[in-house]
């Protein structure tokens, strides 16, 4: 089954984390929360009876990460990293049948919990003494059950006052 045909494939994600650095290495503990996304699976009308189906999905959880900052020069840093995630998935499917002014809706909860691991590489450029910009790409090395791959692209900017 191609789950991308049943559930939305793109989500926005907020990741709140704290970290601790030892020399060039760092550890992070974070909480993440996604946007809630819906996917209309379609509808059909036969003899005045309309049938439609929709799925809704969101997820949240925590992660533990490790990375190493490799300073290429005074302005440029490369950071390989690895993360372990515990994920709580909230998903449901809604089937609605409408005939005239009568509506019947059935909902099935399809969520659960799972874990995954990802690894990636980030690049950071020091714009000034107080500011930097960065770009990162991460992809799963141990994906969630029933998924092929989860990829993240991160864009960051920081300024120290």
């Amino acid at each position: 089954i191609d789950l991308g045909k049943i559930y939305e494939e793109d989500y926005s994600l907020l990741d709140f984390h704290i970290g601790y650095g030892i020399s060039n290495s760092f550890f992070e503990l974070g909480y993440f929360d996604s946007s809630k996304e819906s996917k209309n699976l379609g509808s059909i009308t036969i003899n005045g009876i309309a049938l439609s189906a929709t799925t809704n999905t969101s997820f949240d959880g925590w992660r533990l990460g490790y990375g190493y900052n490799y300073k290429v020069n005074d302005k440029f840093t490369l950071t390989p990293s690895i993360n372990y995630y515990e994920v709580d998935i909230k998903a449901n499917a809604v089937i609605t049948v409408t005939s005239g002014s009568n509506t019947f809706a059935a909902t099935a909860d399809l969520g659960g919990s799972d874990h995954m691991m990802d690894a990636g590489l980030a690049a950071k450029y020091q714009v000034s003494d107080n500011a930097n910009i960065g770009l990162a790409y991460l992809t799963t090395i141990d994906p969630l059950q029933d998924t092929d791959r989860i990829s993240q692209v991160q864009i960051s900017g920081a300024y120290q006052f």
Side-chain angles (χ1 to χ4, degrees), residues 146-160:
D146 297 326
T147 61
D148 291 331
R149 181 184 75 224
I150 297 172
S151 298
Q152 300 177 47
V153 175
Q154 302 172 351
I155 300 170
S156 63
Y159 185 84
Q160 291 181 333

Side-chain angles (χ1 to χ4, degrees), residues 61-120:
W62 62 269
R63 73 173 177 88
L64 179 63
Y66 170 78
Y68 182 84
N69 293 311
Y70 173 71
K71 196 165 185 129
V72 176
N73 58 39
D74 289 343
K75 296 274 187 187
F76 193 67
T77 304
L78 291 176
T79 306
S81 64
I82 189 164
N83 293 285
Y84 173 82
Y85 298 81
E86 283 291 329
V87 183
D88 292 320
I89 302 163
K90 297 164 205 71
N92 66 33
V94 180
I95 297 175
T96 305
V97 178
T98 304
S99 177
S101 62
N102 298 315
T103 300
F104 171 77
T107 302
D109 288 324
L110 307 168
S113 295
D114 203 352
H115 65 274
M116 69 175 218
M117 291 181 70
D118 70 10

Side-chain angles (χ1 to χ4, degrees), residues 14-148:
L14 291 175
D15 181 343
F16 304 98
H17 60 272
I18 58 172
Y20 182 75
I22 304 170
S23 185
N24 289 343
S25 297
F26 63 89
F27 297 90
E28 293 179 339
L29 178 63
Y31 169 78
F32 58 90
D33 192 13
S34 80
S35 57
K36 181 178 181 180
E37 301 295 336
S38 299
K39 187 162 195 168
N40 183 345
L41 303 179
S43 62
I44 188 170
T45 302
I46 301 172
N47 294 329
I49 299 173
L51 174 68
S52 63
T54 305
T55 58
N56 304 293
T57 313
S58 67
F59 53 92
D60 68 347
W62 62 269
R63 73 173 177 88
L64 179 63
Y66 170 78
Y68 182 84
N69 293 311
Y70 173 71
K71 196 165 185 129
V72 176
N73 58 39
D74 289 343
K75 296 274 187 187
F76 193 67
T77 304
L78 291 176
T79 306
S81 64
I82 189 164
N83 293 285
Y84 173 82
Y85 298 81
E86 283 291 329
V87 183
D88 292 320
I89 302 163
K90 297 164 205 71
N92 66 33
V94 180
I95 297 175
T96 305
V97 178
T98 304
S99 177
S101 62
N102 298 315
T103 300
F104 171 77
T107 302
D109 288 324
L110 307 168
S113 295
D114 203 352
H115 65 274
M116 69 175 218
M117 291 181 70
D118 70 10
L121 182 65
K124 183 171 65 173
Y125 180 75
Q126 196 71 34
V127 177
S128 69
D129 289 343
N130 296 342
N132 67 63
I133 56 173
L135 179 65
Y137 177 78
L138 295 100
T139 190
T140 49
I141 55 176
D142 178 18
L144 295 170
Q145 182 178 348
D146 297 326
T147 61
D148 291 331

